[in-house]
Amino acid sequence: MAKRLRSSELCADCSAQDPCWASINRGILICDECCSVHRSLGRHISQVRHLKHTPWPPTLLQMVETLYNNGANSIWEHSLLDPASVMSGRRKANPQDKVHPNKAEFIRAKYQMLAFVHRLPCREDDSVTAKDLSKQLHSSVRTGNLETCLRLLSLGAQANFFHPEKGNTPLHVAAKAGQTLQAELLAVYGADPGTQDSNGKTPVDYARQGGHHELAERLVEIQYELTDRLAFYLCGRKPEHKNGQHFVIPQMADRRLLDLSELAKAAKKKLQSLSNHLFEELAMDVYDEVDRRETDAVWLATQNHSTLVTETTVVPFLPVNPEYSSTRNQGRQKLARFNAHEFATLVIDILSDAKRRQQGNPVSGSKENVELILKSISNQHSSESQDNDQPDYDSVASDEDTDLETNAAKSNRQKSLDSDLSDGPVTAQEYMQVKNALVASEVKIQQLMKVNINLSDELRVMQKKASKLEKQSSVSESDYDNPTAPLELEETGSGRKGRQRSIIWQGEGSIPEDTDTAPSSSLPSTEDVIRKTEQITKNIQELLRAAQENKHDSYIPCSERIHVAVTEMAALFPKKPKSELVRTSLRLLTSSAYRLQSECKKTLPVETCPTTDIQLVTQQVIQCAYDIAKAAKQLVTITTKENNN
């Protein structure tokens, strides 16, 4: 890792001291509170990484340091440096400002709207402007002036611009000149190390030819960054690119940890039949989801005890990227529904197929297999899709907002099944729909776990869901209070694999409700709930530190302390709360604590567990801890609102 940043740094957005996060593509450092807003914007706006608790390629950290120290923040706050801005009342946020709305509005204006960047004079032909900027970038990357290149990129210069006269891209120029930090910056903005110039050479070739061997090795790593990140997420290992090994395909020692249902096999076949373009889109979406999950884990491990009752929060699913279609955005958000085992299966499938595609190995008879499998599962798919069609996530701007779409909606739904059996290519979204059938039972729970960044907005959403749930109380009760679920897990035979996902969240550790007891609307004091929440959070932090330090023998005692704290918190509430929101949050809290204990027990004895097994268990442990924290925060929010009314 490169040298640690100086201790005198300030947050680029609010000037708070000692920022511990970086926004890689913006070249800045930010504090916890501002980072929570950056994360909610999405990686297409800001790519955040913790300075201490996330592994860094040394030259990437050095690139961020250099940009920060050379005033990259002035690019994003150009007009605020004008004295006229002070006169007009425009100012940046300060550490004392509230996250919402003050800091959030400023950060969105600064990075999403680019409200303060230097504007070029308006020209009729924007493409000419972009071409001119890209040519300037092409010339600038041979020097060490990173800020100039970031400014050009912020104005619209293209990192993959192919110079018609020179016959190469900016990355070719940077590699030939040995400009490692310029290469890092270009790669962050999408430059492809595998692009060939007019002579058929790649940037890697030029780096080696110029004797810049470390840069050449780093460019190879960048070329395989997506698959390397997916492999490291599962098994903690990366391939040895120096030795010609470019892929690591994790092999689960216990095959039962993999999703081997017929729907999973069908999904894998559909994955193999995707075009290269659609496969790349899906792989990039899964990469973003891995980043979200890993950053959430770091977030939980680094927050203080009162974080759950502040305005900062985790990001429950991938934010909307307006450059993507509404269907792709919805598919990306549904990735958050996968539990650790299901997500691991998807990641392994992607890694395996990425290797197959690079080696040029064909899939024999894949189209026929897909059609046969789709015919066999179409009835189940169509029935379960009724639950998946609910607008559970962020509103997504449609790319077909026309009257024709409204009038033809019914016929399009009818055609959707026919398109699965057509001769056309299988889309990434169709693959996601088949895969989502595996986790249909988690949908309703995940609906209730949506967390908006603005707490007042969150309360309004929860109140709307409350009225909806009350109308469907009989359905909700049967879904979440199945007292036979644990027995079914033990007693079912060959059907166990197929039914495990539909019952694993039901009944386990949930609060038994006495049907003879009248519903109670009384709630505990906010102070008591906050005190118990802080106790839970403290224990969760201890568990996550153990996970980070690979102290697997600490999992069980940590989980037991969490279970005790959860039980004490649940005891504060009446046996049968009148509020459906309270009941649902309590069920999530206690069932997650139950599952956490079960997962932690899998670490014994440690010496008999392969590394890949432990890694997968650790991911599940982190997910359980995450769910407990969210449920506790929901209960604090509800009691605070109700007690203040």
Side-chain angles (χ1 to χ4, degrees), residues 129-139 156-159 161 170:
T129 301
K131 186 176 180 180
D132 291 342
L133 290 169
S134 299
K135 285 187 174 182
Q136 291 181 46
L137 177 68
H138 191 277
S139 300
Q158 299 300 304
F161 172 73

Side-chain angles (χ1 to χ4, degrees), residues 11 13-14 30 33-38 41 45 93 99 101-114 116:
C11 172
D13 296 333
C14 74
I30 50 179
E33 290 191 341
C34 291
C35 179
S36 69
V37 182
H38 276 252
L41 299 178
I45 301 294
V99 178
N102 306 71
K103 291 184 179 181
E105 289 181 356
F106 172 73
I107 290 170
R108 289 192 180 97
K110 181 177 175 181
Y111 302 107
Q112 195 169 38
M113 308 302 179
L114 299 178
F116 313 124

Side-chain angles (χ1 to χ4, degrees), residues 42-108:
R43 292 188 73 254
H44 58 288
I45 301 294
S46 182
Q47 300 171 19
V48 300
R49 187 179 293 215
H50 198 278
L51 291 171
K52 291 183 179 179
H53 296 280
T54 308
W56 282 82
T59 51
L60 182 61
L61 179 58
Q62 187 181 351
M63 183 268 288
V64 175
E65 288 179 356
T66 304
L67 283 172
Y68 177 85
N69 293 329
N70 290 336
N73 194 42
S74 63
I75 295 174
W76 316 112
E77 295 184 355
H78 177 84
S79 64
L80 290 180
L81 302 177
D82 187 341
S85 294
V86 179
M87 300 297 294
S88 66
R90 297 168 70 183
R91 67 170 183 86
K92 69 183 295 176
N94 63 55
Q96 290 74 37
D97 283 337
K98 291 184 176 181
V99 178
H100 301 284
N102 306 71
K103 291 184 179 181
E105 289 181 356
F106 172 73
I107 290 170
R108 289 192 180 97

Side-chain angles (χ1 to χ4, degrees), residues 493-506:
S494 59
R496 182 177 184 272
K497 291 178 183 176
R499 296 167 57 185
Q500 184 174 2
R501 270 163 208 83
S502 65
I503 59 180
I504 194 166
W505 287 88
Q506 302 169 8

Side-chain angles (χ1 to χ4, degrees), residues 577-619:
K578 184 176 181 180
S579 168
E580 178 64 28
L581 287 174
V582 173
R583 291 202 299 271
T584 304
S585 297
L586 285 171
R587 292 187 198 108
L588 177 58
L589 181 75
T590 55
S591 64
S592 298
Y594 180 94
R595 288 189 63 233
L596 177 64
Q597 283 191 305
S598 300
E599 292 295 333
C600 289
K601 289 177 182 177
K602 295 178 182 178
T603 61
L604 293 178
V606 174
E607 53 272 12
T608 63
C609 284
T611 302
T612 50
D613 248 0
I614 289 292
Q615 290 290 337
L616 198 57
V617 169
T618 296
Q619 290 296 333

Side-chain angles (χ1 to χ4, degrees), residues 470-509:
E470 286 171 1
K471 294 178 182 178
Q472 301 175 344
S473 59
S474 61
V475 176
S476 299
E477 294 295 331
S478 64
D479 282 345
Y480 298 122
D481 291 331
N482 182 356
T484 63
L487 292 176
E488 288 184 37
L489 279 172
E490 297 297 328
E491 295 175 3
T492 50
S494 59
R496 182 177 184 272
K497 291 178 183 176
R499 296 167 57 185
Q500 184 174 2
R501 270 163 208 83
S502 65
I503 59 180
I504 194 166
W505 287 88
Q506 302 169 8
E508 293 181 350

Side-chain angles (χ1 to χ4, degrees), residues 404 407-422 430 433:
L404 284 175
N407 296 334
K410 185 177 292 186
S411 61
N412 284 343
R413 284 194 296 270
Q414 179 61 40
K415 291 176 181 177
S416 63
L417 181 58
D418 296 335
S419 66
D420 284 343
L421 305 177
S422 69
E430 288 172 338
Q433 288 173 343

